[in-house]
mmCIF file of all heavy atoms in Angstrom:
data_model
loop_
_atom_site.group_PDB
_atom_site.id
_atom_site.type_symbol
_atom_site.label_atom_id
_atom_site.label_comp_id
_atom_site.label_asym_id
_atom_site.label_seq_id
_atom_site.Cartn_x
_atom_site.Cartn_y
_atom_site.Cartn_z
ATOM 1 N N GLU E 1 -7.910 -29.885 3.981
ATOM 2 C CA GLU E 1 -6.536 -29.547 3.971
ATOM 3 C C GLU E 1 -6.220 -28.623 2.818
ATOM 4 O O GLU E 1 -5.566 -27.590 2.834
ATOM 5 C CB GLU E 1 -5.596 -30.772 4.004
ATOM 6 C CG GLU E 1 -5.454 -31.497 5.260
ATOM 7 C CD GLU E 1 -4.719 -30.628 6.400
ATOM 8 O OE1 GLU E 1 -3.799 -29.880 6.037
ATOM 9 O OE2 GLU E 1 -5.321 -30.620 7.558
ATOM 10 N N ALA E 2 -6.777 -29.106 1.591
ATOM 11 C CA ALA E 2 -6.561 -28.310 0.391
ATOM 12 C C ALA E 2 -7.304 -26.901 0.596
ATOM 13 O O ALA E 2 -6.629 -25.882 0.166
ATOM 14 C CB ALA E 2 -7.140 -28.994 -0.796
ATOM 15 N N ALA E 3 -8.382 -26.972 1.162
ATOM 16 C CA ALA E 3 -9.164 -25.629 1.435
ATOM 17 C C ALA E 3 -8.403 -24.781 2.328
ATOM 18 O O ALA E 3 -8.235 -23.592 2.245
ATOM 19 C CB ALA E 3 -10.633 -25.918 1.910
ATOM 20 N N LYS E 4 -7.809 -25.529 3.450
ATOM 21 C CA LYS E 4 -7.025 -24.752 4.349
ATOM 22 C C LYS E 4 -5.763 -24.021 3.755
ATOM 23 O O LYS E 4 -5.436 -22.911 3.915
ATOM 24 C CB LYS E 4 -6.536 -25.642 5.524
ATOM 25 C CG LYS E 4 -7.136 -25.451 6.807
ATOM 26 C CD LYS E 4 -6.416 -26.295 7.851
ATOM 27 C CE LYS E 4 -7.377 -26.663 8.971
ATOM 28 N NZ LYS E 4 -6.741 -27.584 9.918
ATOM 29 N N THR E 5 -5.029 -24.973 2.970
ATOM 30 C CA THR E 5 -3.946 -24.400 2.212
ATOM 31 C C THR E 5 -4.354 -23.292 1.212
ATOM 32 O O THR E 5 -3.569 -22.239 1.255
ATOM 33 C CB THR E 5 -3.262 -25.612 1.360
ATOM 34 O OG1 THR E 5 -3.004 -26.720 2.306
ATOM 35 C CG2 THR E 5 -2.061 -25.148 0.743
ATOM 36 N N LYS E 6 -5.461 -23.479 0.542
ATOM 37 C CA LYS E 6 -5.952 -22.479 -0.291
ATOM 38 C C LYS E 6 -6.262 -21.160 0.427
ATOM 39 O O LYS E 6 -5.890 -20.041 -0.031
ATOM 40 C CB LYS E 6 -7.176 -22.968 -1.013
ATOM 41 C CG LYS E 6 -7.585 -22.179 -2.255
ATOM 42 C CD LYS E 6 -8.705 -22.878 -2.990
ATOM 43 C CE LYS E 6 -8.983 -22.094 -4.284
ATOM 44 N NZ LYS E 6 -10.196 -22.645 -4.933
ATOM 45 N N ARG E 7 -6.879 -21.334 1.620
ATOM 46 C CA ARG E 7 -7.203 -20.119 2.357
ATOM 47 C C ARG E 7 -5.915 -19.468 2.910
ATOM 48 O O ARG E 7 -5.898 -18.315 2.829
ATOM 49 C CB ARG E 7 -8.114 -20.584 3.610
ATOM 50 C CG ARG E 7 -9.551 -20.671 3.294
ATOM 51 C CD ARG E 7 -10.489 -20.640 4.566
ATOM 52 N NE ARG E 7 -10.071 -21.696 5.456
ATOM 53 C CZ ARG E 7 -10.637 -22.912 5.513
ATOM 54 N NH1 ARG E 7 -11.575 -23.219 4.713
ATOM 55 N NH2 ARG E 7 -10.276 -23.722 6.376
ATOM 56 N N ALA E 8 -4.937 -20.265 3.365
ATOM 57 C CA ALA E 8 -3.610 -19.754 3.857
ATOM 58 C C ALA E 8 -2.971 -18.909 2.690
ATOM 59 O O ALA E 8 -2.478 -17.889 2.988
ATOM 60 C CB ALA E 8 -2.791 -20.805 4.343
ATOM 61 N N LEU E 9 -2.913 -19.623 1.451
ATOM 62 C CA LEU E 9 -2.248 -18.942 0.367
ATOM 63 C C LEU E 9 -3.065 -17.678 -0.028
ATOM 64 O O LEU E 9 -2.499 -16.566 -0.225
ATOM 65 C CB LEU E 9 -2.395 -19.833 -0.869
ATOM 66 C CG LEU E 9 -1.248 -20.925 -1.000
ATOM 67 C CD1 LEU E 9 -1.511 -21.893 -2.112
ATOM 68 C CD2 LEU E 9 0.067 -20.258 -1.094
ATOM 69 N N LEU E 10 -4.501 -17.681 0.036
ATOM 70 C CA LEU E 10 -5.231 -16.527 -0.306
ATOM 71 C C LEU E 10 -5.067 -15.389 0.749
ATOM 72 O O LEU E 10 -4.833 -14.286 0.375
ATOM 73 C CB LEU E 10 -6.677 -16.948 -0.463
ATOM 74 C CG LEU E 10 -7.710 -15.914 -0.859
ATOM 75 C CD1 LEU E 10 -7.409 -15.439 -2.293
ATOM 76 C CD2 LEU E 10 -9.164 -16.338 -0.814
ATOM 77 N N THR E 11 -4.976 -15.846 1.928
ATOM 78 C CA THR E 11 -4.747 -14.951 3.188
ATOM 79 C C THR E 11 -3.369 -14.247 2.992
ATOM 80 O O THR E 11 -3.238 -13.021 3.148
ATOM 81 C CB THR E 11 -4.854 -15.604 4.475
ATOM 82 O OG1 THR E 11 -6.089 -16.250 4.641
ATOM 83 C CG2 THR E 11 -4.626 -14.664 5.641
ATOM 84 N N ARG E 12 -2.304 -15.053 2.671
ATOM 85 C CA ARG E 12 -0.995 -14.518 2.506
ATOM 86 C C ARG E 12 -0.941 -13.585 1.353
ATOM 87 O O ARG E 12 -0.404 -12.493 1.373
ATOM 88 C CB ARG E 12 -0.005 -15.598 2.361
ATOM 89 C CG ARG E 12 1.465 -15.087 2.451
ATOM 90 C CD ARG E 12 2.574 -16.174 2.537
ATOM 91 N NE ARG E 12 2.065 -17.300 1.691
ATOM 92 C CZ ARG E 12 2.743 -18.465 1.542
ATOM 93 N NH1 ARG E 12 3.925 -18.520 2.267
ATOM 94 N NH2 ARG E 12 2.443 -19.439 0.820
ATOM 95 N N PHE E 13 -1.610 -13.945 0.198
ATOM 96 C CA PHE E 13 -1.683 -13.138 -0.975
ATOM 97 C C PHE E 13 -2.411 -11.809 -0.711
ATOM 98 O O PHE E 13 -1.927 -10.735 -1.091
ATOM 99 C CB PHE E 13 -2.504 -13.892 -2.137
ATOM 100 C CG PHE E 13 -2.701 -13.024 -3.317
ATOM 101 C CD1 PHE E 13 -1.763 -12.667 -4.236
ATOM 102 C CD2 PHE E 13 -4.082 -12.448 -3.556
ATOM 103 C CE1 PHE E 13 -1.961 -11.830 -5.300
ATOM 104 C CE2 PHE E 13 -4.263 -11.621 -4.641
ATOM 105 C CZ PHE E 13 -3.238 -11.376 -5.518
ATOM 106 N N LEU E 14 -3.496 -11.921 0.087
ATOM 107 C CA LEU E 14 -4.238 -10.695 0.373
ATOM 108 C C LEU E 14 -3.449 -9.797 1.337
ATOM 109 O O LEU E 14 -3.425 -8.569 1.240
ATOM 110 C CB LEU E 14 -5.568 -11.021 1.004
ATOM 111 C CG LEU E 14 -6.572 -11.531 0.010
ATOM 112 C CD1 LEU E 14 -7.883 -11.949 0.814
ATOM 113 C CD2 LEU E 14 -7.011 -10.499 -0.994
ATOM 114 N N GLN E 15 -2.667 -10.416 2.277
ATOM 115 C CA GLN E 15 -1.814 -9.667 3.220
ATOM 116 C C GLN E 15 -0.717 -8.893 2.462
ATOM 117 O O GLN E 15 -0.400 -7.777 2.644
ATOM 118 C CB GLN E 15 -1.287 -10.538 4.324
ATOM 119 C CG GLN E 15 -2.174 -10.902 5.368
ATOM 120 C CD GLN E 15 -1.660 -11.884 6.464
ATOM 121 O OE1 GLN E 15 -0.689 -12.497 6.077
ATOM 122 N NE2 GLN E 15 -2.362 -11.994 7.530
ATOM 123 N N GLU E 16 -0.124 -9.653 1.495
ATOM 124 C CA GLU E 16 0.985 -9.008 0.651
ATOM 125 C C GLU E 16 0.423 -7.904 -0.192
ATOM 126 O O GLU E 16 0.910 -6.877 -0.331
ATOM 127 C CB GLU E 16 1.598 -10.024 -0.181
ATOM 128 C CG GLU E 16 2.488 -10.951 0.476
ATOM 129 C CD GLU E 16 3.131 -12.049 -0.317
ATOM 130 O OE1 GLU E 16 2.869 -12.078 -1.617
ATOM 131 O OE2 GLU E 16 3.793 -13.056 0.171
ATOM 132 N N LYS E 17 -0.868 -8.199 -0.829
ATOM 133 C CA LYS E 17 -1.458 -7.158 -1.507
ATOM 134 C C LYS E 17 -1.842 -5.931 -0.655
ATOM 135 O O LYS E 17 -1.643 -4.781 -1.100
ATOM 136 C CB LYS E 17 -2.844 -7.775 -2.152
ATOM 137 C CG LYS E 17 -3.526 -6.870 -3.042
ATOM 138 C CD LYS E 17 -2.839 -6.817 -4.392
ATOM 139 C CE LYS E 17 -3.673 -6.005 -5.433
ATOM 140 N NZ LYS E 17 -2.882 -5.645 -6.513
ATOM 141 N N LEU E 18 -2.360 -6.180 0.550
ATOM 142 C CA LEU E 18 -2.570 -5.097 1.490
ATOM 143 C C LEU E 18 -1.358 -4.349 1.911
ATOM 144 O O LEU E 18 -1.302 -3.094 1.857
ATOM 145 C CB LEU E 18 -3.320 -5.595 2.704
ATOM 146 C CG LEU E 18 -3.692 -4.599 3.841
ATOM 147 C CD1 LEU E 18 -4.750 -3.690 3.343
ATOM 148 C CD2 LEU E 18 -4.095 -5.292 5.113
ATOM 149 N N SER E 19 -0.261 -5.018 2.090
ATOM 150 C CA SER E 19 1.000 -4.378 2.486
ATOM 151 C C SER E 19 1.425 -3.517 1.264
ATOM 152 O O SER E 19 1.855 -2.370 1.510
ATOM 153 C CB SER E 19 2.118 -5.402 2.722
ATOM 154 O OG SER E 19 3.295 -4.850 2.961
ATOM 155 N N GLN E 20 1.369 -4.095 0.050
ATOM 156 C CA GLN E 20 1.731 -3.316 -1.174
ATOM 157 C C GLN E 20 0.858 -1.955 -1.263
ATOM 158 O O GLN E 20 1.365 -0.960 -1.574
ATOM 159 C CB GLN E 20 1.690 -4.179 -2.379
ATOM 160 C CG GLN E 20 2.732 -5.241 -2.513
ATOM 161 C CD GLN E 20 2.555 -6.104 -3.773
ATOM 162 O OE1 GLN E 20 1.508 -6.021 -4.440
ATOM 163 N NE2 GLN E 20 3.494 -7.011 -3.977
ATOM 164 N N GLU E 21 -0.337 -2.264 -1.087
ATOM 165 C CA GLU E 21 -1.310 -1.056 -1.156
ATOM 166 C C GLU E 21 -1.077 -0.062 -0.084
ATOM 167 O O GLU E 21 -1.134 1.143 -0.334
ATOM 168 C CB GLU E 21 -2.771 -1.633 -0.969
ATOM 169 C CG GLU E 21 -3.333 -2.305 -2.236
ATOM 170 C CD GLU E 21 -3.399 -1.320 -3.459
ATOM 171 O OE1 GLU E 21 -3.738 -0.268 -3.402
ATOM 172 O OE2 GLU E 21 -3.065 -1.958 -4.544
ATOM 173 N N GLU E 22 -0.695 -0.499 1.093
ATOM 174 C CA GLU E 22 -0.271 0.419 2.104
ATOM 175 C C GLU E 22 0.882 1.262 1.789
ATOM 176 O O GLU E 22 0.999 2.439 2.015
ATOM 177 C CB GLU E 22 -0.150 -0.290 3.563
ATOM 178 C CG GLU E 22 -1.417 -0.709 4.230
ATOM 179 C CD GLU E 22 -1.202 -1.440 5.432
ATOM 180 O OE1 GLU E 22 -0.032 -1.957 5.690
ATOM 181 O OE2 GLU E 22 -2.158 -1.709 6.172
ATOM 182 N N GLN E 23 1.982 0.547 1.253
ATOM 183 C CA GLN E 23 3.165 1.116 0.876
ATOM 184 C C GLN E 23 2.879 2.165 -0.311
ATOM 185 O O GLN E 23 3.410 3.212 -0.380
ATOM 186 C CB GLN E 23 4.211 0.089 0.432
ATOM 187 C CG GLN E 23 4.878 -0.731 1.615
ATOM 188 C CD GLN E 23 5.890 -1.673 1.091
ATOM 189 O OE1 GLN E 23 6.033 -1.944 -0.063
ATOM 190 N NE2 GLN E 23 6.562 -2.253 2.129
ATOM 191 N N SER E 24 2.049 1.710 -1.275
ATOM 192 C CA SER E 24 1.789 2.567 -2.328
ATOM 193 C C SER E 24 0.910 3.695 -1.900
ATOM 194 O O SER E 24 1.170 4.862 -2.422
ATOM 195 C CB SER E 24 0.852 1.670 -3.348
ATOM 196 O OG SER E 24 0.468 2.483 -4.422
ATOM 197 N N SER E 25 0.129 3.516 -1.021
ATOM 198 C CA SER E 25 -0.694 4.547 -0.390
ATOM 199 C C SER E 25 0.187 5.578 0.331
ATOM 200 O O SER E 25 0.084 6.828 0.150
ATOM 201 C CB SER E 25 -1.808 4.042 0.552
ATOM 202 O OG SER E 25 -2.439 5.084 1.206
ATOM 203 N N LEU E 26 1.151 5.068 1.089
ATOM 204 C CA LEU E 26 2.109 5.925 1.817
ATOM 205 C C LEU E 26 2.932 6.681 0.813
ATOM 206 O O LEU E 26 3.187 8.007 0.909
ATOM 207 C CB LEU E 26 3.037 5.143 2.679
ATOM 208 C CG LEU E 26 2.456 4.600 3.990
ATOM 209 C CD1 LEU E 26 3.363 3.773 4.776
ATOM 210 C CD2 LEU E 26 2.005 5.772 4.944
ATOM 211 N N TRP E 27 3.425 6.054 -0.268
ATOM 212 C CA TRP E 27 4.160 6.734 -1.287
ATOM 213 C C TRP E 27 3.322 7.770 -2.010
ATOM 214 O O TRP E 27 3.832 8.907 -2.247
ATOM 215 C CB TRP E 27 4.730 5.698 -2.299
ATOM 216 C CG TRP E 27 5.543 6.231 -3.385
ATOM 217 C CD1 TRP E 27 5.208 6.242 -4.709
ATOM 218 C CD2 TRP E 27 6.729 6.940 -3.311
ATOM 219 N NE1 TRP E 27 6.209 6.928 -5.368
ATOM 220 C CE2 TRP E 27 7.155 7.375 -4.577
ATOM 221 C CE3 TRP E 27 7.545 7.307 -2.290
ATOM 222 C CZ2 TRP E 27 8.340 7.998 -4.852
ATOM 223 C CZ3 TRP E 27 8.730 7.965 -2.535
ATOM 224 C CH2 TRP E 27 9.126 8.258 -3.787
ATOM 225 N N GLY E 28 2.074 7.402 -2.305
ATOM 226 C CA GLY E 28 1.206 8.393 -2.942
ATOM 227 C C GLY E 28 0.897 9.610 -2.035
ATOM 228 O O GLY E 28 0.965 10.818 -2.486
ATOM 229 N N LEU E 29 0.739 9.323 -0.757
ATOM 230 C CA LEU E 29 0.588 10.429 0.300
ATOM 231 C C LEU E 29 1.842 11.278 0.344
ATOM 232 O O LEU E 29 1.679 12.536 0.323
ATOM 233 C CB LEU E 29 0.261 9.807 1.634
ATOM 234 C CG LEU E 29 -0.199 10.893 2.744
ATOM 235 C CD1 LEU E 29 -1.409 11.598 2.329
ATOM 236 C CD2 LEU E 29 -0.348 10.048 4.073
ATOM 237 N N HIS E 30 2.970 10.681 0.257
ATOM 238 C CA HIS E 30 4.275 11.362 0.298
ATOM 239 C C HIS E 30 4.299 12.321 -0.922
ATOM 240 O O HIS E 30 4.692 13.482 -0.849
ATOM 241 C CB HIS E 30 5.442 10.455 0.369
ATOM 242 C CG HIS E 30 6.776 11.104 0.283
ATOM 243 N ND1 HIS E 30 7.268 11.863 1.192
ATOM 244 C CD2 HIS E 30 7.693 11.151 -0.677
ATOM 245 C CE1 HIS E 30 8.374 12.397 0.933
ATOM 246 N NE2 HIS E 30 8.705 11.917 -0.288
ATOM 247 N N LYS E 31 3.924 11.748 -2.090
ATOM 248 C CA LYS E 31 4.003 12.373 -3.345
ATOM 249 C C LYS E 31 3.043 13.673 -3.265
ATOM 250 O O LYS E 31 3.338 14.720 -3.622
ATOM 251 C CB LYS E 31 3.583 11.558 -4.536
ATOM 252 C CG LYS E 31 4.752 10.836 -5.098
ATOM 253 C CD LYS E 31 4.205 10.153 -6.422
ATOM 254 C CE LYS E 31 5.290 9.443 -7.101
ATOM 255 N NZ LYS E 31 4.796 8.697 -8.211
ATOM 256 N N VAL E 32 1.833 13.401 -2.781
ATOM 257 C CA VAL E 32 0.913 14.473 -2.667
ATOM 258 C C VAL E 32 1.219 15.581 -1.765
ATOM 259 O O VAL E 32 1.200 16.771 -2.069
ATOM 260 C CB VAL E 32 -0.510 13.846 -2.066
ATOM 261 C CG1 VAL E 32 -1.538 15.005 -1.701
ATOM 262 C CG2 VAL E 32 -1.217 13.065 -3.177
ATOM 263 N N ARG E 33 1.874 15.171 -0.576
ATOM 264 C CA ARG E 33 2.423 16.241 0.352
ATOM 265 C C ARG E 33 3.441 16.989 -0.209
ATOM 266 O O ARG E 33 3.573 18.243 -0.076
ATOM 267 C CB ARG E 33 2.838 15.509 1.636
ATOM 268 C CG ARG E 33 1.737 15.011 2.545
ATOM 269 C CD ARG E 33 2.305 14.458 3.815
ATOM 270 N NE ARG E 33 1.140 14.037 4.713
ATOM 271 C CZ ARG E 33 1.414 13.152 5.648
ATOM 272 N NH1 ARG E 33 2.491 12.498 5.743
ATOM 273 N NH2 ARG E 33 0.276 12.748 6.360
ATOM 274 N N THR E 34 4.320 16.295 -0.994
ATOM 275 C CA THR E 34 5.526 17.027 -1.600
ATOM 276 C C THR E 34 4.927 17.999 -2.637
ATOM 277 O O THR E 34 5.395 19.213 -2.633
ATOM 278 C CB THR E 34 6.344 16.006 -2.300
ATOM 279 O OG1 THR E 34 6.938 15.099 -1.379
ATOM 280 C CG2 THR E 34 7.570 16.720 -2.954
ATOM 281 N N LEU E 35 3.980 17.554 -3.468
ATOM 282 C CA LEU E 35 3.404 18.448 -4.505
ATOM 283 C C LEU E 35 2.688 19.635 -3.820
ATOM 284 O O LEU E 35 2.686 20.789 -4.214
ATOM 285 C CB LEU E 35 2.421 17.736 -5.434
ATOM 286 C CG LEU E 35 3.113 16.711 -6.294
ATOM 287 C CD1 LEU E 35 2.060 15.925 -7.003
ATOM 288 C CD2 LEU E 35 3.984 17.517 -7.285
ATOM 289 N N TRP E 36 2.005 19.386 -2.702
ATOM 290 C CA TRP E 36 1.213 20.466 -1.946
ATOM 291 C C TRP E 36 2.225 21.499 -1.361
ATOM 292 O O TRP E 36 2.062 22.685 -1.523
ATOM 293 C CB TRP E 36 0.418 19.815 -0.916
ATOM 294 C CG TRP E 36 -0.273 20.809 0.034
ATOM 295 C CD1 TRP E 36 -0.005 21.002 1.281
ATOM 296 C CD2 TRP E 36 -1.289 21.715 -0.389
ATOM 297 N NE1 TRP E 36 -0.642 21.990 1.789
ATOM 298 C CE2 TRP E 36 -1.540 22.436 0.858
ATOM 299 C CE3 TRP E 36 -1.920 21.964 -1.463
ATOM 300 C CZ2 TRP E 36 -2.641 23.485 0.767
ATOM 301 C CZ3 TRP E 36 -2.878 22.942 -1.467
ATOM 302 C CH2 TRP E 36 -3.218 23.721 -0.388
ATOM 303 N N ARG E 37 3.358 21.006 -0.801
ATOM 304 C CA ARG E 37 4.340 21.853 -0.230
ATOM 305 C C ARG E 37 4.948 22.671 -1.364
ATOM 306 O O ARG E 37 5.226 23.809 -1.215
ATOM 307 C CB ARG E 37 5.455 21.116 0.429
ATOM 308 C CG ARG E 37 4.949 20.569 1.777
ATOM 309 C CD ARG E 37 6.132 19.895 2.662
ATOM 310 N NE ARG E 37 5.619 19.262 3.771
ATOM 311 C CZ ARG E 37 5.845 18.038 4.163
ATOM 312 N NH1 ARG E 37 6.748 17.274 3.421
ATOM 313 N NH2 ARG E 37 5.394 17.538 5.217
ATOM 314 N N SER E 38 5.241 22.072 -2.551
ATOM 315 C CA SER E 38 5.826 22.736 -3.640
ATOM 316 C C SER E 38 4.861 23.813 -4.191
ATOM 317 O O SER E 38 5.272 24.958 -4.350
ATOM 318 C CB SER E 38 6.101 21.781 -4.801
ATOM 319 O OG SER E 38 6.489 22.410 -5.942
ATOM 320 N N ALA E 39 3.604 23.471 -4.186
ATOM 321 C CA ALA E 39 2.518 24.630 -4.592
ATOM 322 C C ALA E 39 2.515 25.654 -3.585
ATOM 323 O O ALA E 39 2.385 26.760 -3.921
ATOM 324 C CB ALA E 39 1.151 23.887 -4.735
ATOM 325 N N GLN E 40 2.528 25.276 -2.286
ATOM 326 C CA GLN E 40 2.509 26.362 -1.191
ATOM 327 C C GLN E 40 3.844 27.238 -1.328
ATOM 328 O O GLN E 40 3.761 28.507 -1.225
ATOM 329 C CB GLN E 40 2.464 25.750 0.100
ATOM 330 C CG GLN E 40 1.138 25.284 0.590
ATOM 331 C CD GLN E 40 0.968 24.672 1.929
ATOM 332 O OE1 GLN E 40 1.955 23.929 2.408
ATOM 333 N NE2 GLN E 40 -0.073 24.983 2.554
ATOM 334 N N ARG E 41 4.961 26.635 -1.610
ATOM 335 C CA ARG E 41 6.205 27.392 -1.730
ATOM 336 C C ARG E 41 6.137 28.327 -2.933
ATOM 337 O O ARG E 41 6.484 29.496 -2.863
ATOM 338 C CB ARG E 41 7.361 26.418 -2.000
ATOM 339 C CG ARG E 41 7.811 25.791 -0.668
ATOM 340 C CD ARG E 41 9.193 25.055 -0.858
ATOM 341 N NE ARG E 41 9.497 24.175 0.324
ATOM 342 C CZ ARG E 41 9.367 22.771 0.139
ATOM 343 N NH1 ARG E 41 9.077 22.289 -1.016
ATOM 344 N NH2 ARG E 41 9.625 22.087 1.275
ATOM 345 N N LYS E 42 5.516 27.791 -4.077
ATOM 346 C CA LYS E 42 5.355 28.644 -5.226
ATOM 347 C C LYS E 42 4.556 29.827 -4.943
ATOM 348 O O LYS E 42 4.801 31.026 -5.312
ATOM 349 C CB LYS E 42 4.900 27.890 -6.424
ATOM 350 C CG LYS E 42 5.927 27.005 -7.114
ATOM 351 C CD LYS E 42 5.282 26.315 -8.238
ATOM 352 C CE LYS E 42 6.358 25.304 -8.965
ATOM 353 N NZ LYS E 42 5.752 24.473 -9.833
#
């Protein structure tokens, strides 16, 4: 039960971490696209 709980906590932590990384990745991609468009405009 403790191992299950630990696995569930670890799974939830990893899912949250993955979600944060995806959001961070999307934000970074948005920043890169914005900078690229700005460079193209210039």
Side-chain angles (χ1 to χ4, degrees):
E1 284 296 320
K4 251 190 209 178
T5 306
K6 194 174 182 180
R7 275 197 305 270
L9 282 172
L10 188 61
T11 301
R12 190 168 41 180
F13 172 76
L14 288 175
Q15 283 176 345
E16 286 176 6
K17 186 76 173 159
L18 180 64
S19 175
Q20 287 175 356
E21 286 297 321
E22 284 176 349
Q23 286 179 352
S24 177
S25 174
L26 284 174
W27 179 245
L29 186 61
H30 175 70
K31 275 186 177 178
V32 167
R33 284 183 180 156
T34 303
L35 288 172
W36 174 247
R37 286 184 187 133
S38 175
Q40 283 183 321
R41 281 189 196 109
K42 283 181 184 175

